[in-house]
Amino acid sequence: MGNHHVLNSEGIDISQNDTWLALNTNELPDGIALSHISLLELLHKQEKLEVLLPLSDLLDAKGNIAGGLLQQVYELLSEHTSRFGVWVTSDSDTEVLTRIPEFLLQQDLIVIHLPAFTDGRGFSFAQTLRQLGYQGEIRMAGKFGRDQIAYLLRAGADSFVISEHDLHSISDISQAFNALASSYDGRNAADLPMFAGA
């Protein structure tokens, strides 16, 4: 994993307090979590950890939560974790989220990975999770631009994984978190007026 930082919704670096670990898989994108752990390491740990799992590995071919052996592995993992979260890439089908709302609502953290700067599906994912009633933390990771942060916040994101390079190349990252008009609470774009008065 590269060197990254986690910033909260106000642009404050909360990396030192972040204890989430991503379960190491072949498809694990850089920046899902600040650290990762292998399945074997997790099963040998005495303390219970906060672990992120890849949502795609928990689903069957129809996009439902898999049963059988995979369900048993998930239950085994739950014995070794204090909190669970999942990560999903925005190139997944948005319908997957709407098919498994009960499972998603139980997660403490959902990380949405944006594989490309031009991929706007991460906005839809965050908004869909909030519409489903998800109250936990939504974290954005991957390739998003500074100018997209305020819009991602409006869509429902709570925190952001930003690379060390990007964090230091942006002169004032905190401005990205306050870039939009604040005449409303910042969580519902429908509350904004269609046209600004002159």
Side-chain angles (χ1 to χ4, degrees):
M1 307 289 297
N3 198 3
H4 292 81
H5 296 266
V6 178
L7 276 61
N8 68 11
S9 61
E10 297 170 359
I12 298 168
D13 192 333
I14 58 170
S15 302
Q16 290 194 335
N17 299 323
D18 188 79
T19 54
W20 286 98
L21 300 168
L23 190 66
N24 218 358
T25 67
N26 291 337
E27 294 83 31
L28 180 63
D30 190 37
I32 290 295
L34 300 181
S35 300
H36 55 90
I37 190 169
S38 73
L39 179 58
L40 193 58
E41 288 175 311
L42 177 61
L43 295 177
H44 284 93
K45 288 281 187 185
Q46 294 297 319
E47 72 272 20
K48 292 189 174 190
L49 304 171
E50 297 174 333
V51 179
L52 287 165
L53 304 174
L55 181 60
S56 61
D57 285 359
L58 301 174
L59 304 176
D60 62 19
K62 295 181 181 178
N64 298 311
I65 297 298
L69 180 60
L70 194 54
Q71 180 64 33
Q72 291 175 24
V73 170
Y74 181 76
E75 290 169 5
L76 176 64
L77 287 174
S78 67
E79 295 173 12
H80 294 269
T81 59
S82 60
R83 295 198 303 161
F84 257 133
V86 294
W87 60 266
V88 60
T89 57
S90 65
D91 56 5
S92 302
D93 187 353
T94 310
E95 288 183 24
V96 167
L97 301 181
T98 60
R99 281 198 294 268
I100 55 169
E102 298 83 14
F103 176 80
L104 293 172
L105 294 177
Q106 295 171 13
Q107 305 308 307
D108 293 297
L109 172 65
I110 298 177
V111 178
I112 301 170
H113 183 264
L114 304 170
F117 174 77
T118 55
D119 190 341
R121 289 174 287 187
F123 294 88
S124 299
F125 272 43
Q127 191 171 33
T128 298
L129 287 168
R130 293 302 182 205
Q131 289 170 347
L132 290 172
Y134 181 69
Q135 299 290 316
E137 181 180 348
I138 297 175
R139 181 173 293 178
M140 306 307 292
K143 297 179 179 157
F144 53 87
R146 173 192 185 279
D147 59 335
Q148 294 176 317
I149 291 174
Y151 293 100
L152 288 164
L153 285 166
R154 187 181 284 179
D158 298 298
S159 59
F160 301 82
V161 181
I162 298 179
S163 73
E164 178 88 21
H165 174 267
D166 288 344
L167 188 64
H168 292 298
S169 66
I170 299 169
S171 59
D172 188 1
I173 189 70
S174 64
Q175 288 181 354
F177 290 82
N178 301 305
L180 299 178
S182 58
S183 60
Y184 72 115
D185 70 1
R187 291 287 178 199
N188 186 355
D191 290 346
L192 282 176
M194 287 287 273
F195 303 98

PDB file of all heavy atoms in Angstrom, residues 18-49:
ATOM      1  N   ASP A  18      -7.042   6.362  12.677  1.00  0.00           N
ATOM      2  CA  ASP A  18      -7.701   5.390  11.811  1.00  0.00           C
ATOM      3  C   ASP A  18      -7.061   4.021  11.987  1.00  0.00           C
ATOM      4  O   ASP A  18      -5.857   3.855  11.783  1.00  0.00           O
ATOM      5  CB  ASP A  18      -7.604   5.834  10.346  1.00  0.00           C
ATOM      6  CG  ASP A  18      -8.445   4.962   9.453  1.00  0.00           C
ATOM      7  OD1 ASP A  18      -9.672   5.178   9.418  1.00  0.00           O
ATOM      8  OD2 ASP A  18      -7.886   4.053   8.810  1.00  0.00           O
ATOM      9  N   THR A  19      -7.857   3.029  12.377  1.00  0.00           N
ATOM     10  CA  THR A  19      -7.329   1.695  12.661  1.00  0.00           C
ATOM     11  C   THR A  19      -7.860   0.631  11.705  1.00  0.00           C
ATOM     12  O   THR A  19      -7.696  -0.556  11.957  1.00  0.00           O
ATOM     13  CB  THR A  19      -7.655   1.294  14.117  1.00  0.00           C
ATOM     14  OG1 THR A  19      -9.065   1.428  14.331  1.00  0.00           O
ATOM     15  CG2 THR A  19      -6.915   2.170  15.112  1.00  0.00           C
ATOM     16  N   TRP A  20      -8.490   1.044  10.622  1.00  0.00           N
ATOM     17  CA  TRP A  20      -9.025   0.084   9.656  1.00  0.00           C
ATOM     18  C   TRP A  20      -7.901  -0.574   8.857  1.00  0.00           C
ATOM     19  O   TRP A  20      -6.958   0.088   8.440  1.00  0.00           O
ATOM     20  CB  TRP A  20      -9.994   0.777   8.699  1.00  0.00           C
ATOM     21  CG  TRP A  20     -11.304   1.088   9.334  1.00  0.00           C
ATOM     22  CD1 TRP A  20     -11.697   2.280   9.875  1.00  0.00           C
ATOM     23  CD2 TRP A  20     -12.400   0.195   9.514  1.00  0.00           C
ATOM     24  NE1 TRP A  20     -12.965   2.175  10.381  1.00  0.00           N
ATOM     25  CE2 TRP A  20     -13.426   0.905  10.172  1.00  0.00           C
ATOM     26  CE3 TRP A  20     -12.611  -1.139   9.180  1.00  0.00           C
ATOM     27  CZ2 TRP A  20     -14.651   0.329  10.497  1.00  0.00           C
ATOM     28  CZ3 TRP A  20     -13.836  -1.718   9.509  1.00  0.00           C
ATOM     29  CH2 TRP A  20     -14.834  -0.988  10.151  1.00  0.00           C
ATOM     30  N   LEU A  21      -8.035  -1.874   8.645  1.00  0.00           N
ATOM     31  CA  LEU A  21      -7.110  -2.654   7.838  1.00  0.00           C
ATOM     32  C   LEU A  21      -7.886  -3.288   6.688  1.00  0.00           C
ATOM     33  O   LEU A  21      -8.990  -3.799   6.882  1.00  0.00           O
ATOM     34  CB  LEU A  21      -6.488  -3.781   8.674  1.00  0.00           C
ATOM     35  CG  LEU A  21      -5.687  -3.374   9.902  1.00  0.00           C
ATOM     36  CD1 LEU A  21      -5.405  -4.587  10.778  1.00  0.00           C
ATOM     37  CD2 LEU A  21      -4.398  -2.706   9.485  1.00  0.00           C
ATOM     38  N   ALA A  22      -7.323  -3.267   5.496  1.00  0.00           N
ATOM     39  CA  ALA A  22      -7.938  -3.935   4.358  1.00  0.00           C
ATOM     40  C   ALA A  22      -7.428  -5.369   4.289  1.00  0.00           C
ATOM     41  O   ALA A  22      -6.229  -5.608   4.439  1.00  0.00           O
ATOM     42  CB  ALA A  22      -7.606  -3.197   3.069  1.00  0.00           C
ATOM     43  N   LEU A  23      -8.336  -6.311   4.101  1.00  0.00           N
ATOM     44  CA  LEU A  23      -7.928  -7.702   3.923  1.00  0.00           C
ATOM     45  C   LEU A  23      -7.222  -7.808   2.583  1.00  0.00           C
ATOM     46  O   LEU A  23      -7.735  -7.377   1.554  1.00  0.00           O
ATOM     47  CB  LEU A  23      -9.137  -8.629   3.970  1.00  0.00           C
ATOM     48  CG  LEU A  23      -8.812 -10.112   4.028  1.00  0.00           C
ATOM     49  CD1 LEU A  23      -8.112 -10.467   5.343  1.00  0.00           C
ATOM     50  CD2 LEU A  23     -10.068 -10.941   3.870  1.00  0.00           C
ATOM     51  N   ASN A  24      -6.037  -8.357   2.608  1.00  0.00           N
ATOM     52  CA  ASN A  24      -5.203  -8.447   1.413  1.00  0.00           C
ATOM     53  C   ASN A  24      -5.805  -9.419   0.408  1.00  0.00           C
ATOM     54  O   ASN A  24      -6.045 -10.579   0.735  1.00  0.00           O
ATOM     55  CB  ASN A  24      -3.805  -8.902   1.805  1.00  0.00           C
ATOM     56  CG  ASN A  24      -2.735  -8.232   1.012  1.00  0.00           C
ATOM     57  OD1 ASN A  24      -3.009  -7.439   0.122  1.00  0.00           O
ATOM     58  ND2 ASN A  24      -1.501  -8.540   1.333  1.00  0.00           N
ATOM     59  N   THR A  25      -6.089  -8.938  -0.804  1.00  0.00           N
ATOM     60  CA  THR A  25      -6.574  -9.784  -1.887  1.00  0.00           C
ATOM     61  C   THR A  25      -5.804  -9.422  -3.153  1.00  0.00           C
ATOM     62  O   THR A  25      -5.133  -8.389  -3.206  1.00  0.00           O
ATOM     63  CB  THR A  25      -8.079  -9.570  -2.152  1.00  0.00           C
ATOM     64  OG1 THR A  25      -8.275  -8.246  -2.659  1.00  0.00           O
ATOM     65  CG2 THR A  25      -8.910  -9.774  -0.897  1.00  0.00           C
ATOM     66  N   ASN A  26      -5.936 -10.246  -4.177  1.00  0.00           N
ATOM     67  CA  ASN A  26      -5.265  -9.960  -5.444  1.00  0.00           C
ATOM     68  C   ASN A  26      -5.779  -8.681  -6.086  1.00  0.00           C
ATOM     69  O   ASN A  26      -5.065  -8.020  -6.821  1.00  0.00           O
ATOM     70  CB  ASN A  26      -5.440 -11.129  -6.423  1.00  0.00           C
ATOM     71  CG  ASN A  26      -4.670 -12.350  -5.985  1.00  0.00           C
ATOM     72  OD1 ASN A  26      -3.712 -12.241  -5.229  1.00  0.00           O
ATOM     73  ND2 ASN A  26      -5.092 -13.523  -6.445  1.00  0.00           N
ATOM     74  N   GLU A  27      -7.036  -8.332  -5.837  1.00  0.00           N
ATOM     75  CA  GLU A  27      -7.650  -7.174  -6.471  1.00  0.00           C
ATOM     76  C   GLU A  27      -7.633  -5.923  -5.594  1.00  0.00           C
ATOM     77  O   GLU A  27      -8.293  -4.943  -5.903  1.00  0.00           O
ATOM     78  CB  GLU A  27      -9.107  -7.485  -6.852  1.00  0.00           C
ATOM     79  CG  GLU A  27      -9.276  -8.549  -7.917  1.00  0.00           C
ATOM     80  CD  GLU A  27      -9.212  -9.967  -7.350  1.00  0.00           C
ATOM     81  OE1 GLU A  27      -9.620 -10.156  -6.190  1.00  0.00           O
ATOM     82  OE2 GLU A  27      -8.729 -10.856  -8.059  1.00  0.00           O
ATOM     83  N   LEU A  28      -6.903  -5.946  -4.483  1.00  0.00           N
ATOM     84  CA  LEU A  28      -6.924  -4.826  -3.551  1.00  0.00           C
ATOM     85  C   LEU A  28      -6.275  -3.587  -4.175  1.00  0.00           C
ATOM     86  O   LEU A  28      -5.067  -3.566  -4.409  1.00  0.00           O
ATOM     87  CB  LEU A  28      -6.183  -5.195  -2.258  1.00  0.00           C
ATOM     88  CG  LEU A  28      -6.111  -4.118  -1.180  1.00  0.00           C
ATOM     89  CD1 LEU A  28      -7.512  -3.745  -0.676  1.00  0.00           C
ATOM     90  CD2 LEU A  28      -5.247  -4.582  -0.026  1.00  0.00           C
ATOM     91  N   PRO A  29      -7.076  -2.550  -4.453  1.00  0.00           N
ATOM     92  CA  PRO A  29      -6.490  -1.322  -5.012  1.00  0.00           C
ATOM     93  C   PRO A  29      -5.682  -0.566  -3.962  1.00  0.00           C
ATOM     94  O   PRO A  29      -5.947  -0.660  -2.761  1.00  0.00           O
ATOM     95  CB  PRO A  29      -7.713  -0.492  -5.432  1.00  0.00           C
ATOM     96  CG  PRO A  29      -8.879  -1.420  -5.365  1.00  0.00           C
ATOM     97  CD  PRO A  29      -8.520  -2.473  -4.368  1.00  0.00           C
ATOM     98  N   ASP A  30      -4.716   0.181  -4.421  1.00  0.00           N
ATOM     99  CA  ASP A  30      -3.906   1.001  -3.533  1.00  0.00           C
ATOM    100  C   ASP A  30      -4.784   2.085  -2.909  1.00  0.00           C
ATOM    101  O   ASP A  30      -5.562   2.735  -3.593  1.00  0.00           O
ATOM    102  CB  ASP A  30      -2.764   1.642  -4.328  1.00  0.00           C
ATOM    103  CG  ASP A  30      -1.745   2.307  -3.431  1.00  0.00           C
ATOM    104  OD1 ASP A  30      -1.471   1.772  -2.340  1.00  0.00           O
ATOM    105  OD2 ASP A  30      -1.234   3.358  -3.824  1.00  0.00           O
ATOM    106  N   GLY A  31      -4.661   2.270  -1.602  1.00  0.00           N
ATOM    107  CA  GLY A  31      -5.368   3.353  -0.935  1.00  0.00           C
ATOM    108  C   GLY A  31      -6.734   3.013  -0.373  1.00  0.00           C
ATOM    109  O   GLY A  31      -7.453   3.906   0.066  1.00  0.00           O
ATOM    110  N   ILE A  32      -7.122   1.757  -0.345  1.00  0.00           N
ATOM    111  CA  ILE A  32      -8.399   1.391   0.283  1.00  0.00           C
ATOM    112  C   ILE A  32      -8.324   1.666   1.782  1.00  0.00           C
ATOM    113  O   ILE A  32      -9.260   2.136   2.399  1.00  0.00           O
ATOM    114  CB  ILE A  32      -8.747  -0.090   0.012  1.00  0.00           C
ATOM    115  CG1 ILE A  32      -9.109  -0.288  -1.455  1.00  0.00           C
ATOM    116  CG2 ILE A  32      -9.877  -0.571   0.916  1.00  0.00           C
ATOM    117  CD1 ILE A  32     -10.365   0.423  -1.908  1.00  0.00           C
ATOM    118  N   ALA A  33      -7.197   1.340   2.378  1.00  0.00           N
ATOM    119  CA  ALA A  33      -6.958   1.599   3.802  1.00  0.00           C
ATOM    120  C   ALA A  33      -5.496   1.979   3.956  1.00  0.00           C
ATOM    121  O   ALA A  33      -4.692   1.790   3.056  1.00  0.00           O
ATOM    122  CB  ALA A  33      -7.285   0.355   4.630  1.00  0.00           C
ATOM    123  N   LEU A  34      -5.144   2.512   5.115  1.00  0.00           N
ATOM    124  CA  LEU A  34      -3.762   2.917   5.354  1.00  0.00           C
ATOM    125  C   LEU A  34      -2.839   1.709   5.512  1.00  0.00           C
ATOM    126  O   LEU A  34      -1.650   1.795   5.256  1.00  0.00           O
ATOM    127  CB  LEU A  34      -3.686   3.816   6.580  1.00  0.00           C
ATOM    128  CG  LEU A  34      -4.502   5.111   6.512  1.00  0.00           C
ATOM    129  CD1 LEU A  34      -4.309   5.931   7.785  1.00  0.00           C
ATOM    130  CD2 LEU A  34      -4.153   5.923   5.280  1.00  0.00           C
ATOM    131  N   SER A  35      -3.414   0.579   5.946  1.00  0.00           N
ATOM    132  CA  SER A  35      -2.651  -0.658   6.126  1.00  0.00           C
ATOM    133  C   SER A  35      -3.501  -1.834   5.671  1.00  0.00           C
ATOM    134  O   SER A  35      -4.715  -1.716   5.530  1.00  0.00           O
ATOM    135  CB  SER A  35      -2.269  -0.861   7.592  1.00  0.00           C
ATOM    136  OG  SER A  35      -1.482   0.199   8.062  1.00  0.00           O
ATOM    137  N   HIS A  36      -2.860  -2.962   5.477  1.00  0.00           N
ATOM    138  CA  HIS A  36      -3.586  -4.163   5.087  1.00  0.00           C
ATOM    139  C   HIS A  36      -3.095  -5.342   5.921  1.00  0.00           C
ATOM    140  O   HIS A  36      -2.074  -5.263   6.613  1.00  0.00           O
ATOM    141  CB  HIS A  36      -3.440  -4.436   3.591  1.00  0.00           C
ATOM    142  CG  HIS A  36      -2.027  -4.526   3.132  1.00  0.00           C
ATOM    143  ND1 HIS A  36      -1.324  -5.705   3.106  1.00  0.00           N
ATOM    144  CD2 HIS A  36      -1.166  -3.581   2.686  1.00  0.00           C
ATOM    145  CE1 HIS A  36      -0.107  -5.483   2.661  1.00  0.00           C
ATOM    146  NE2 HIS A  36       0.025  -4.194   2.405  1.00  0.00           N
ATOM    147  N   ILE A  37      -3.844  -6.435   5.841  1.00  0.00           N
ATOM    148  CA  ILE A  37      -3.511  -7.630   6.603  1.00  0.00           C
ATOM    149  C   ILE A  37      -3.915  -8.857   5.802  1.00  0.00           C
ATOM    150  O   ILE A  37      -4.920  -8.834   5.082  1.00  0.00           O
ATOM    151  CB  ILE A  37      -4.216  -7.602   7.993  1.00  0.00           C
ATOM    152  CG1 ILE A  37      -3.688  -8.703   8.906  1.00  0.00           C
ATOM    153  CG2 ILE A  37      -5.738  -7.670   7.842  1.00  0.00           C
ATOM    154  CD1 ILE A  37      -4.136  -8.557  10.350  1.00  0.00           C
ATOM    155  N   SER A  38      -3.132  -9.914   5.909  1.00  0.00           N
ATOM    156  CA  SER A  38      -3.490 -11.154   5.215  1.00  0.00           C
ATOM    157  C   SER A  38      -4.491 -11.929   6.072  1.00  0.00           C
ATOM    158  O   SER A  38      -4.602 -11.715   7.287  1.00  0.00           O
ATOM    159  CB  SER A  38      -2.249 -12.004   4.962  1.00  0.00           C
ATOM    160  OG  SER A  38      -1.793 -12.579   6.176  1.00  0.00           O
ATOM    161  N   LEU A  39      -5.187 -12.841   5.429  1.00  0.00           N
ATOM    162  CA  LEU A  39      -6.156 -13.670   6.137  1.00  0.00           C
ATOM    163  C   LEU A  39      -5.473 -14.471   7.237  1.00  0.00           C
ATOM    164  O   LEU A  39      -5.966 -14.550   8.358  1.00  0.00           O
ATOM    165  CB  LEU A  39      -6.864 -14.601   5.145  1.00  0.00           C
ATOM    166  CG  LEU A  39      -7.890 -15.557   5.731  1.00  0.00           C
ATOM    167  CD1 LEU A  39      -8.994 -14.807   6.462  1.00  0.00           C
ATOM    168  CD2 LEU A  39      -8.469 -16.438   4.640  1.00  0.00           C
ATOM    169  N   LEU A  40      -4.323 -15.027   6.935  1.00  0.00           N
ATOM    170  CA  LEU A  40      -3.588 -15.822   7.922  1.00  0.00           C
ATOM    171  C   LEU A  40      -3.181 -14.975   9.131  1.00  0.00           C
ATOM    172  O   LEU A  40      -3.324 -15.400  10.278  1.00  0.00           O
ATOM    173  CB  LEU A  40      -2.361 -16.459   7.264  1.00  0.00           C
ATOM    174  CG  LEU A  40      -1.660 -17.562   8.051  1.00  0.00           C
ATOM    175  CD1 LEU A  40      -2.612 -18.697   8.367  1.00  0.00           C
ATOM    176  CD2 LEU A  40      -0.457 -18.074   7.287  1.00  0.00           C
ATOM    177  N   GLU A  41      -2.674 -13.765   8.864  1.00  0.00           N
ATOM    178  CA  GLU A  41      -2.301 -12.865   9.966  1.00  0.00           C
ATOM    179  C   GLU A  41      -3.505 -12.534  10.832  1.00  0.00           C
ATOM    180  O   GLU A  41      -3.428 -12.533  12.062  1.00  0.00           O
ATOM    181  CB  GLU A  41      -1.716 -11.561   9.413  1.00  0.00           C
ATOM    182  CG  GLU A  41      -0.337 -11.677   8.819  1.00  0.00           C
ATOM    183  CD  GLU A  41       0.108 -10.366   8.183  1.00  0.00           C
ATOM    184  OE1 GLU A  41      -0.664  -9.786   7.393  1.00  0.00           O
ATOM    185  OE2 GLU A  41       1.239  -9.934   8.494  1.00  0.00           O
ATOM    186  N   LEU A  42      -4.629 -12.261  10.190  1.00  0.00           N
ATOM    187  CA  LEU A  42      -5.845 -11.902  10.921  1.00  0.00           C
ATOM    188  C   LEU A  42      -6.287 -13.040  11.833  1.00  0.00           C
ATOM    189  O   LEU A  42      -6.625 -12.822  13.001  1.00  0.00           O
ATOM    190  CB  LEU A  42      -6.963 -11.545   9.940  1.00  0.00           C
ATOM    191  CG  LEU A  42      -8.320 -11.214  10.551  1.00  0.00           C
ATOM    192  CD1 LEU A  42      -8.226 -10.001  11.470  1.00  0.00           C
ATOM    193  CD2 LEU A  42      -9.349 -10.981   9.462  1.00  0.00           C
ATOM    194  N   LEU A  43      -6.249 -14.263  11.328  1.00  0.00           N
ATOM    195  CA  LEU A  43      -6.702 -15.416  12.113  1.00  0.00           C
ATOM    196  C   LEU A  43      -5.769 -15.729  13.278  1.00  0.00           C
ATOM    197  O   LEU A  43      -6.180 -16.367  14.238  1.00  0.00           O
ATOM    198  CB  LEU A  43      -6.854 -16.640  11.208  1.00  0.00           C
ATOM    199  CG  LEU A  43      -7.937 -16.530  10.128  1.00  0.00           C
ATOM    200  CD1 LEU A  43      -7.951 -17.773   9.258  1.00  0.00           C
ATOM    201  CD2 LEU A  43      -9.307 -16.276  10.738  1.00  0.00           C
ATOM    202  N   HIS A  44      -4.514 -15.269  13.219  1.00  0.00           N
ATOM    203  CA  HIS A  44      -3.568 -15.513  14.301  1.00  0.00           C
ATOM    204  C   HIS A  44      -3.466 -14.364  15.306  1.00  0.00           C
ATOM    205  O   HIS A  44      -2.767 -14.490  16.310  1.00  0.00           O
ATOM    206  CB  HIS A  44      -2.174 -15.832  13.726  1.00  0.00           C
ATOM    207  CG  HIS A  44      -2.083 -17.219  13.188  1.00  0.00           C
ATOM    208  ND1 HIS A  44      -2.318 -17.525  11.879  1.00  0.00           N
ATOM    209  CD2 HIS A  44      -1.813 -18.400  13.813  1.00  0.00           C
ATOM    210  CE1 HIS A  44      -2.183 -18.827  11.704  1.00  0.00           C
ATOM    211  NE2 HIS A  44      -1.875 -19.384  12.861  1.00  0.00           N
ATOM    212  N   LYS A  45      -4.131 -13.273  15.038  1.00  0.00           N
ATOM    213  CA  LYS A  45      -4.088 -12.132  15.962  1.00  0.00           C
ATOM    214  C   LYS A  45      -4.901 -12.440  17.208  1.00  0.00           C
ATOM    215  O   LYS A  45      -5.991 -13.021  17.137  1.00  0.00           O
ATOM    216  CB  LYS A  45      -4.658 -10.868  15.297  1.00  0.00           C
ATOM    217  CG  LYS A  45      -3.759 -10.274  14.229  1.00  0.00           C
ATOM    218  CD  LYS A  45      -2.656  -9.477  14.870  1.00  0.00           C
ATOM    219  CE  LYS A  45      -1.853  -8.737  13.821  1.00  0.00           C
ATOM    220  NZ  LYS A  45      -0.717  -8.053  14.381  1.00  0.00           N
ATOM    221  N   GLN A  46      -4.384 -12.020  18.351  1.00  0.00           N
ATOM    222  CA  GLN A  46      -5.116 -12.193  19.606  1.00  0.00           C
ATOM    223  C   GLN A  46      -6.211 -11.148  19.759  1.00  0.00           C
ATOM    224  O   GLN A  46      -7.314 -11.451  20.186  1.00  0.00           O
ATOM    225  CB  GLN A  46      -4.146 -12.105  20.800  1.00  0.00           C
ATOM    226  CG  GLN A  46      -3.142 -13.228  20.861  1.00  0.00           C
ATOM    227  CD  GLN A  46      -3.797 -14.577  21.057  1.00  0.00           C
ATOM    228  OE1 GLN A  46      -4.737 -14.713  21.826  1.00  0.00           O
ATOM    229  NE2 GLN A  46      -3.317 -15.579  20.349  1.00  0.00           N
ATOM    230  N   GLU A  47      -5.885  -9.893  19.363  1.00  0.00           N
ATOM    231  CA  GLU A  47      -6.871  -8.828  19.498  1.00  0.00           C
ATOM    232  C   GLU A  47      -7.791  -8.788  18.284  1.00  0.00           C
ATOM    233  O   GLU A  47      -7.421  -9.229  17.200  1.00  0.00           O
ATOM    234  CB  GLU A  47      -6.191  -7.463  19.685  1.00  0.00           C
ATOM    235  CG  GLU A  47      -5.518  -6.905  18.442  1.00  0.00           C
ATOM    236  CD  GLU A  47      -4.081  -7.352  18.245  1.00  0.00           C
ATOM    237  OE1 GLU A  47      -3.668  -8.377  18.835  1.00  0.00           O
ATOM    238  OE2 GLU A  47      -3.370  -6.682  17.484  1.00  0.00           O
ATOM    239  N   LYS A  48      -8.985  -8.287  18.479  1.00  0.00           N
ATOM    240  CA  LYS A  48      -9.940  -8.137  17.378  1.00  0.00           C
ATOM    241  C   LYS A  48      -9.678  -6.814  16.672  1.00  0.00           C
ATOM    242  O   LYS A  48      -9.445  -5.795  17.320  1.00  0.00           O
ATOM    243  CB  LYS A  48     -11.370  -8.207  17.904  1.00  0.00           C
ATOM    244  CG  LYS A  48     -11.734  -9.580  18.419  1.00  0.00           C
ATOM    245  CD  LYS A  48     -13.198  -9.678  18.735  1.00  0.00           C
ATOM    246  CE  LYS A  48     -13.564 -11.108  19.106  1.00  0.00           C
ATOM    247  NZ  LYS A  48     -15.002 -11.290  19.180  1.00  0.00           N
ATOM    248  N   LEU A  49      -9.720  -6.845  15.354  1.00  0.00           N
ATOM    249  CA  LEU A  49      -9.356  -5.691  14.543  1.00  0.00           C
ATOM    250  C   LEU A  49     -10.540  -5.184  13.730  1.00  0.00           C
ATOM    251  O   LEU A  49     -11.559  -5.858  13.592  1.00  0.00           O
ATOM    252  CB  LEU A  49      -8.209  -6.081  13.599  1.00  0.00           C
ATOM    253  CG  LEU A  49      -6.956  -6.644  14.270  1.00  0.00           C
ATOM    254  CD1 LEU A  49      -5.998  -7.188  13.234  1.00  0.00           C
ATOM    255  CD2 LEU A  49      -6.296  -5.581  15.124  1.00  0.00           C
TER     256      LEU A  49
END
